[in-house]
Amino acid sequence: MQTAEIQRRWLDFFGQRGHTVVPSASLIADDPTVMFTIAGMVPFIPYLTGLVPAPYPRATSVQKCIRTLDIEEVGKTTRHGTFFQMNGNFSFGDYFKEQAIAYAWELLTTSERDGGLGFDEKDLWVTVYEDDDEAIDYWRRVAGLPLERIQRLGKEDNYWSTGQPGPAGPCSEIYFDRGPKYGPDGGPAVDDSRYLEIWNLVFMQYLIDDVRSKTEFRIVSELPKKNIDTGMGMERVAFLKQGVENMYEIDQVRPVLDRAAELSGRRYGADHEDDVRMRVIADHVRSSLMLMTDGVTPGNEGRGYILRRLLRRSIRAMRLLGVEEPTFAELFSASRDAMQTAYPEVAREYDRVSRLALGEEETFLRTLSSGTTILDLAVADAKQKGSSGLAGDTAFLLHDTFGFPIDLTLEMAEEAGLSVDRAAFDSLMSEQRARAKADARAKKQSLADLSVYREFRAKGETVFTGYEYLQTESSVLGLIVDGAPVHQATVGQIAEVILGETSLYAESGGQDADAGSIVGDGFDLEVLDVQRPVKGLISHKVQVRAGEVSVGAAATTVVDPAYRHAAAQAHSATHLVHAALRQTLGHEAHQSGSYNKAGYMRLDFGWNQALSLETRSEIEEIANAAIHDDLEVVTRIMPLDEARSMGAMALFGEKYGDTVRMVDIGGPWSRELCAGTHVSSSAQVGLISLTSESSVGSSNRRVEALVGHDAFRELAAERAIVSQLTSTLKTPREQLPDRIAELVAGLKAAEKRIAQFEAQALQSRVPELAASALKSDGVTTVIDHLGSVSSGDDIRGLVTAVRSRLGSEPAVVALSGIAGGKPLVIVATNEAARERGIKAGVLAKAAAGALGGGGGGKDDLAQGGGADASAVPAALDAVRAGLAPV
């Protein structure tokens, strides 16, 4: 049974039983404390916890998930996959324990011919929480399971909570017996390799507090509405139904594994280490494909870093299989073909995803080349010192700075006959992880406890009226100060205000929050920020400027009209620039992020090379031509599928409901899904001035622009500069570029002539310096300070010229100078001096030590430098001291 067929059967089964079929949410989690959607129930948490009223009594989904905590275990076991799919059915105060068990048993044991999954009842076991006699009774009565195939386990295994005060409850897990080949008898309590968990049913029925650990908490009471949250592991069921050994061999993953085997010339199943590498490649390529399809791009932080790590581990694994050439074109196309039946968007977005993947592969292959060079130098240095191993900090530097995988370092060091101080490397990695976890904890603790919004959200959604009105009358539903609900807020306090209606735009979709105020009888509140802390609720962060505001008071939201207009200009300008980009560069230049506020916009888009000045000018001209054409801006509310069928652009990673707002500028000229505020015609944007274009990653670029009056002011300032230049240089504006180029060329020529004169002046000192030579212990020396020089080249030329004047007897020349504010010492020796063991590199290094820097070089000519110019006398004394024993 193909994986896509399991997905279809699941959704059909629960859909036919009154469950709302909910499409998979993005892999990019809504929760700011979590990077990815890590479980099937994550999108439903607000409903399960009661934070947001559920829009339906029961639901079902097949949710895309990513987990990266066990990334090092991928490929080694049957159960660790980075990307996986969780089939879930949910009840929000509707059915409970008995019905959840009945549904699970029916779907699992109904024959394939009748639409079920066709598992044999005799192969299924269950575990329950040790005190949950009710669940045991249902399993016996509903499913007919004998007691010997129902096992009681403790809180560690069969009790669910978020780890925080709130809903919790026992759970019951369903296991499939794979047979004696995979382990001993005795059920899941004895061996969870033979008995494979395929489905977990969580009975969310209690409210807990005083949470001290996973197993230590206090049950406060039963929940007024009991919820069901279940999850069936798609990949586990798929490999059981397809008769293969593990999740890496199912139909959605195996094609990538097979392609990796073909490209490497290795056979899957012939060597354990090779098998693990092929499974890593298959998992990571699929995971990367799905992440990039959902809008994640490779980067050095957050989600982008995780994606980059997956891609680089794939490249590393291919290299360990003996393949050093690019392979992503083959591997990703194989994954696309395997996944597109279940997820058609994979095919739709493949051109963009492929370009990102190939760009990252090309970059990392160059990085591997650089890292290999550094590793080769470290190996040579270790061997020269007689060491049998590489230091842990060297391995960590390669890993942390260059992205050079530790496995590759170990392999290459072993090939060179060296070990790696793995303990020191692991210690440094642990320190880095501890810092990262501390940062994550700090970030999580800095976020307000969202449960404070529960009672406000229960009163309904905040109605946003700002598309039509700049002022709206409402009432204060709640006040929050320092994270806790209060009845009133007084002058000077910072508070959050919850209203029933508001005309103030909350930050979202890349648009900054509105500026404005909230006023009422006896109070005046300055709006500092407007946010959506939970879905459907708008919170206004305010400072009380005058009076006292209380819960229940009538209040009017007042938007600053000038700010709103400028913000609408900027947001519409973002759409115009996006359309101009795609018209100029092609459809692959898809927006990957944006930010706009009054007078300013920036837009990130997928592209892997800098834009020329001509291209930037063309984009700017197209966008401003659209302003000149006064295109009508129309917003419409419609079903998501209808908007997409009309060609509406959606921002990758954004969450859209079944009903969306589509913004047209000039009809199909620019058509995007957008909840932001906009002007009513493109002419109202006024003016767009692109100010910069830069890189924000290996496959992403960013353009920034000023809009409206801000753009005019910037151009006016540039005009003033041009006017000043034309006056100063007495040159017409159109001739300024040539005139400035002429002046720059003349300046460079003058600087060159001056440098030549200075070099000649220095060379004229050669006779004087040679005449100042001293002789001691058979060695002639010239050691002197030259003062300020243009560059180290001047000193170097003088040193070699003086050395040639000193004849064939042993001679050493050491001259210092200050170039660009930094002290330098250059040392030269002749052949006779070197025969006596005098090395320029050793002397230069000694001088550099006195200067607080570093140095070295060849035996005949070397250089040292530092930062402390006052230490030049000490540096020259260090050279003399280095000569004294000879």
Side-chain angles (χ1 to χ4, degrees):
M1 186 182 294
Q2 298 291 288
T3 307
E5 176 62 14
I6 298 172
Q7 175 181 333
R8 186 193 65 78
R9 290 182 181 227
W10 176 277
L11 295 177
D12 284 352
F13 178 87
F14 284 103
Q16 291 165 7
R17 288 156 180 78
H19 292 68
T20 298
V21 177
V22 180
S24 173
S26 170
L27 287 168
I28 302 172
D30 277 329
D31 186 343
T33 67
V34 180
M35 282 193 291
F36 300 116
T37 301
I38 58 174
M41 51 85 73
V42 167
F44 300 97
I45 287 177
Y47 312 144
L48 292 168
T49 60
L51 183 62
V52 176
Y56 24 67
R58 51 177 72 182
T60 185
S61 69
V62 174
Q63 176 60 47
K64 301 176 292 186
C65 304
I66 287 279
R67 287 184 190 168
T68 57
L69 289 177
D70 298 321
I71 194 170
E72 301 294 341
E73 297 303 313
V74 168
K76 299 176 183 177
T77 73
T78 60
R79 66 187 63 188
H80 289 100
T82 312
F83 171 84
F84 62 97
Q85 300 154 88
M86 189 60 70
N87 300 9
N89 60 287
F90 307 90
S91 166
F92 311 108
D94 187 11
Y95 63 84
F96 196 51
K97 198 174 296 186
E98 181 177 8
Q99 191 63 63
I101 289 172
Y103 282 147
W105 192 252
E106 181 184 359
L107 178 57
L108 283 174
T109 60
T110 296
S111 69
E112 293 184 18
R113 183 184 62 254
D114 294 327
L117 296 178
F119 283 98
D120 193 323
E121 294 183 15
K122 67 178 177 57
D123 294 327
L124 299 178
W125 291 60
V126 300
T127 62
V128 298
Y129 177 54
E130 57 191 357
D131 294 336
D132 195 355
D133 294 332
E134 185 181 33
I136 292 177
D137 180 59
Y138 288 141
W139 278 116
R140 295 188 68 191
R141 186 155 49 84
V142 174
L145 271 175
L147 274 175
E148 59 266 24
R149 281 198 278 135
I150 305 173
Q151 296 185 321
R152 297 176 186 260
L153 296 176
K155 289 178 180 176
E156 185 68 34
D157 297 295
N158 278 66
Y159 210 95
W160 178 90
S161 77
T162 63
Q164 302 292 329
C171 59
S172 182
E173 296 175 337
I174 306 173
Y175 289 78
F176 177 82
D177 180 3
R178 304 175 72 194
K181 171 184 174 183
Y182 296 94
D185 291 334
V190 173
D191 188 334
D192 64 357
S193 293
R194 168 176 171 173
Y195 300 90
L196 188 73
E197 180 199 338
I198 57 175
W199 199 333
N200 185 16
L201 291 77
V202 176
F203 310 128
M204 206 176 297
Q205 63 187 100
Y206 298 114
L207 182 67
I208 64 170
D209 67 6
D210 191 23
V211 180
R212 300 178 297 284
S213 71
K214 179 177 173 60
T215 59
E216 297 177 302
F217 49 81
R218 183 173 73 95
I219 296 178
V220 178
S221 63
E222 288 206 352
L223 291 170
K225 286 188 175 182
K226 297 179 176 64
N227 299 326
I228 286 294
D229 154 32
T230 87
M232 185 185 83
M234 174 80 85
E235 280 73 14
R236 293 188 182 189
V237 170
F239 84 69
L240 292 174
K241 295 304 296 179
Q242 292 173 21
V244 295
E245 289 296 308
N246 52 62
M247 63 168 288
Y248 309 103
E249 298 176 16
I250 67 173
D251 61 298
Q252 288 186 342
V253 186
R254 181 64 186 253
V256 182
L257 187 154
D258 288 341
R259 195 72 191 100
E262 291 172 14
L263 291 169
S264 65
R266 311 284 178 95
R267 183 173 64 84
Y268 182 66
D271 178 85
H272 174 71
E273 291 300 323
D274 283 352
D275 289 353
V276 170
R277 290 162 185 159
M278 291 179 201
R279 292 197 288 261
V280 166
I281 293 162
D283 171 89
H284 286 5
V285 166
R286 182 172 79 138
S287 301
S288 300
L289 172 74
M290 300 307 292
L291 281 171
M292 288 189 284
T293 297
D294 272 9
V296 182
T297 58
N300 292 324
E301 296 179 351
R303 300 180 183 96
Y305 175 75
I306 297 296
L307 171 59
R308 175 162 285 168
R309 187 179 178 202
L310 293 172
L311 292 167
R312 291 185 170 189
R313 280 174 58 86
S314 303
I315 297 168
R316 179 276 314 270
M318 286 301 300
R319 185 184 178 107
L320 293 177
L321 288 173
V323 183
E324 299 189 6
E325 297 78 22
T327 59
F328 275 1
E330 300 277 352
L331 297 174
F332 271 83
S333 62
S335 190
R336 172 202 61 200
D337 295 344
M339 295 300 295
Q340 62 184 351
T341 301
Y343 300 99
E345 62 270 24
V346 167
R348 289 198 302 267
E349 302 299 335
Y350 185 72
D351 287 346
R352 176 184 60 83
V353 168
S354 175
R355 179 173 48 78
L356 286 171
L358 297 182
E360 187 68 15
E361 181 180 36
E362 180 183 355
T363 299
F364 187 53
L365 287 174
R366 288 198 301 268
T367 297
L368 282 176
S369 178
S370 302
T372 301
T373 301
I374 293 168
L375 182 59
D376 288 344
L377 291 172
V379 167
D381 184 60
K383 287 186 172 181
Q384 185 178 1
K385 294 177 179 177
S387 174
S388 62
L390 289 177
D393 56 358
T394 300
F396 181 75
L397 173 70
L398 285 164
H399 172 85
D400 194 49
T401 304
F402 296 94
F404 207 72
I406 181 61
D407 290 358
L408 198 53
T409 300
L410 291 168
E411 179 195 34
M412 295 180 69
E414 184 179 355
E415 289 173 356
L418 299 176
S419 62
V420 176
D421 188 345
R422 187 61 189 265
F425 173 84
D426 289 341
S427 176
L428 290 167
M429 286 296 295
S430 296
E431 290 175 14
Q432 186 188 62
R433 289 193 191 101
R435 288 193 298 271
K437 287 179 180 178
D439 290 345
R441 283 195 298 270
K443 178 181 179 182
K444 192 169 186 177
Q445 290 166 359
S446 70
L447 297 167
D449 180 2
L450 295 182
S451 63
V452 73
Y453 300 107
R454 183 178 290 118
E455 65 173 284
F456 306 129
R457 181 61 182 82
K459 297 175 182 179
E461 294 192 19
T462 308
V463 178
F464 176 62
T465 64
Y467 293 135
E468 295 84 21
Y469 307 106
L470 295 182
Q471 293 190 23
T472 292
E473 295 180 359
S474 186
S475 60
V476 178
L477 299 181
L479 292 167
I480 301 170
V481 174
D482 295 330
V486 297
H487 183 69
Q488 61 187 27
T490 58
V491 172
Q493 280 191 300
I494 304 292
E496 288 184 67
V497 179
I498 311 297
L499 304 170
E501 300 83 23
T502 181
S503 56
L504 290 154
Y505 183 81
E507 179 183 354
S508 62
Q511 180 176 331
D512 218 351
D514 269 336
S517 60
I518 302 173
V519 297
D521 187 13
F523 63 85
D524 181 1
L525 315 177
E526 179 187 1
V527 174
L528 306 177
D529 194 12
V530 190
Q531 293 292 330
R532 298 178 185 269
V534 298
K535 185 179 180 180
L537 189 74
I538 295 177
S539 172
H540 310 76
K541 184 178 181 181
V542 303
Q543 182 166 32
V544 183
R545 286 190 292 210
E548 179 180 282
V549 59
S550 302
V551 174
T556 301
T557 57
V558 182
V559 178
D560 180 331
Y563 187 92
R564 165 65 75 81
H565 179 67
Q569 286 179 307
H571 205 149
S572 295
T574 305
H575 287 217
L576 295 177
V577 171
H578 187 202
L581 271 167
R582 291 169 62 79
Q583 186 172 325
T584 305
L585 302 177
H587 293 301
E588 287 188 16
H590 198 296
Q591 178 180 341
S592 56
S594 67
Y595 172 70
N596 50 75
K597 62 179 181 178
Y600 168 84
M601 60 139 288
R602 73 167 184 247
L603 186 145
D604 297 344
F605 60 100
W607 202 248
N608 57 7
Q609 60 186 11
L611 304 184
S612 66
L613 289 175
E614 292 78 9
T615 301
R616 287 174 54 180
S617 295
E618 183 179 356
I619 293 165
E620 188 177 57
E621 185 174 346
I622 291 171
N624 280 292
I627 294 173
H628 176 269
D629 291 343
D630 195 18
L631 304 175
E632 184 181 15
V633 179
V634 177
T635 61
R636 287 178 279 175
I637 306 298
M638 62 178 59
L640 176 60
D641 290 342
E642 182 181 346
R644 282 180 168 158
S645 69
M646 295 176 67
M649 299 288 295
L651 180 62
F652 290 119
E654 277 293 307
K655 315 298 188 300
Y656 299 101
D658 293 334
T659 302
V660 294
R661 183 170 181 260
M662 186 172 75
V663 178
D664 286 354
I665 303 180
W669 191 84
S670 169
R671 179 168 285 165
E672 300 192 28
L673 302 183
C674 180
T677 62
H678 289 271
V679 296
S680 58
S681 70
S682 62
Q684 293 178 9
V685 172
L687 183 66
I688 297 173
S689 174
L690 291 185
T691 56
S692 72
E693 188 270 342
S694 59
S695 170
V696 286
S698 60
S699 300
N700 269 286
R701 307 295 298 179
R702 170 175 292 171
V703 290
E704 296 178 87
L706 294 176
V707 182
H709 282 297
D710 289 77
F712 172 77
R713 281 191 288 270
E714 187 229 10
L715 294 175
E718 289 186 358
R719 182 178 63 184
I721 294 171
V722 171
S723 177
Q724 185 177 355
L725 286 172
T726 59
S727 176
T728 301
L729 299 178
K730 296 181 172 52
T731 303
R733 183 182 64 181
E734 61 274 11
Q735 295 178 17
L736 274 179
D738 291 340
R739 178 62 176 144
I740 292 173
E742 180 185 329
L743 290 172
V744 170
L747 179 61
K748 288 182 178 178
E751 289 174 344
K752 185 176 181 180
R753 287 194 297 272
I754 291 170
Q756 290 172 345
F757 290 143
E758 289 178 344
Q760 290 172 5
L762 279 174
Q763 286 297 319
S764 69
R765 296 187 59 184
V766 170
E768 169 196 345
L769 289 166
S772 69
L774 301 175
K775 192 168 185 178
S776 176
D777 294 329
V779 179
T780 302
T781 61
V782 175
I783 302 174
D784 206 345
H785 180 56
L786 302 176
S788 295
V789 296
S790 296
S791 68
D793 290 340
D794 291 340
I795 306 176
R796 191 174 292 104
L798 197 57
V799 164
T800 54
V802 172
R803 179 181 60 183
S804 66
R805 290 279 190 117
L806 298 181
S808 59
E809 296 297 319
V812 177
V813 181
L815 299 178
S816 64
I818 310 297
K822 299 290 182 68
L824 291 171
V825 175
I826 295 181
V827 182
T829 61
N830 64 6
E831 185 176 354
R834 293 192 293 277
E835 289 175 354
R836 295 189 54 170
I838 302 173
K839 298 180 179 180
V842 174
L843 298 175
K845 192 170 184 179
L851 295 173
K858 297 181 179 180
D859 291 349
D860 64 329
L861 187 65
Q863 175 178 317
D868 186 2
S870 66
V872 165
L876 296 179
D877 285 342
V879 175
R880 294 186 183 98
L883 291 168
V886 179

